[in-house]
Amino acid sequence: MSTSAAASAAPSTSFVFPSTYNFPPFFTPQPNSTTRHSQLQKWSSLIQSWCRHHRIYRLSVVEAIDSPLFHNASLRKRLDLAEARAIVDWMTKKEEEGGGGQRAEWIDGFSAGSSAKGKNAAWIWWRRPEEWADVLLDWIDATGQRGVVLTVFELVQGEATVSQEFHGMDHDVMMKALNVLVKRGKASVFGNEGEEGVKIF
């Protein structure tokens, strides 16, 4: 599902915005460093929650700028594109660097802090690949499938995973999570792109 499709899809329950979303200064960069840090944290939490609710893995900042995420129509307040990019950029940085704990990653190859030009889409990590890897491993253990060969398609779209949070996951995110398990020595991925198989052991 594309970002725009995911954003417009009717969720089973409507998204509940935090109270700060109805506070006009929330949409304006705060000059005080302490207040600014708190503002960035709240925006990060909102973006993660929004994406999780709508099952959005790739967020197009350019497309989302006109969505309710960044535009509070009742307040007539919105983030401009530069501020939205600044927030996502902060999310890409490590906590020890004063950032948002790597809860986002620019898809187009840009690093945190680099020029904003071209920063149009980002992975939003409401679960980081390492955390998704743990979720997958827990499901494999719970279903007794260690050593069983599965296809990536089965994991993402199979009937057995319908009740799992990773069902319907973006294929690239699934591959990132599986590659974490490969690096840990817990999985083997094989086959052609789009037809990958995986064995978790």
Side-chain angles (χ1 to χ4, degrees):
M1 182 180 286
S2 69
T3 301
S4 54
S8 61
S12 55
T13 56
S14 59
F15 182 76
V16 179
F17 284 93
S19 57
T20 49
Y21 181 77
N22 294 308
F23 189 48
F26 187 52
F27 292 83
T28 306
Q30 297 300 301
N32 177 280
S33 60
T34 303
T35 308
R36 175 62 171 166
H37 188 77
S38 175
Q39 179 185 32
L40 289 166
Q41 287 177 322
K42 286 171 178 153
W43 268 112
S44 174
S45 178
L46 171 56
I47 291 168
Q48 289 177 61
S49 297
W50 170 270
C51 289
R52 184 173 194 162
H53 180 83
H54 292 287
R55 310 298 291 174
I56 297 170
Y57 297 89
R58 306 173 188 236
L59 180 69
S60 168
V61 181
V62 175
E63 290 179 20
I65 207 70
D66 291 321
S67 76
L69 174 59
F70 294 132
H71 180 204
N72 185 327
S74 62
L75 280 185
R76 296 185 181 179
K77 287 283 187 181
R78 70 166 73 219
L79 286 187
D80 62 27
L81 184 56
E83 172 66 354
R85 281 173 168 156
I87 290 166
V88 174
D89 201 52
W90 179 83
M91 291 171 66
T92 68
K93 298 175 183 175
K94 297 177 181 178
E95 284 184 21
E96 54 267 31
E97 295 171 355
Q102 295 178 299
R103 286 294 171 182
E105 178 185 339
W106 292 113
I107 291 173
D108 25 26
F110 290 85
S111 60
S114 63
S115 169
K117 186 178 180 182
K119 288 183 174 179
N120 297 321
W123 300 114
I124 301 299
W125 299 129
W126 29 282
R127 283 192 190 274
R128 297 188 195 94
E130 297 81 7
E131 294 165 339
W132 281 121
D134 292 337
V135 170
L136 284 168
L137 205 53
D138 287 345
W139 178 77
I140 290 290
D141 283 340
T143 55
Q145 296 189 84
R146 291 254 185 172
V148 175
V149 175
L150 301 166
T151 66
V152 173
F153 181 84
E154 281 180 292
L155 288 173
V156 175
Q157 301 291 348
E159 289 184 13
T161 65
V162 168
S163 63
Q164 301 304 308
E165 192 178 13
F166 56 82
H167 185 82
M169 174 186 281
D170 184 287
H171 178 269
D172 289 346
V173 176
M174 176 60 75
M175 293 308 299
K176 283 176 178 283
L178 290 172
N179 284 332
V180 169
L181 292 176
V182 170
K183 288 177 183 176
R184 291 178 183 171
K186 298 283 188 182
S188 174
V189 176
F190 43 87
N192 298 322
E193 186 175 346
E195 301 177 353
E196 298 94 345
V198 60
K199 181 189 285 187
I200 298 176
F201 38 81

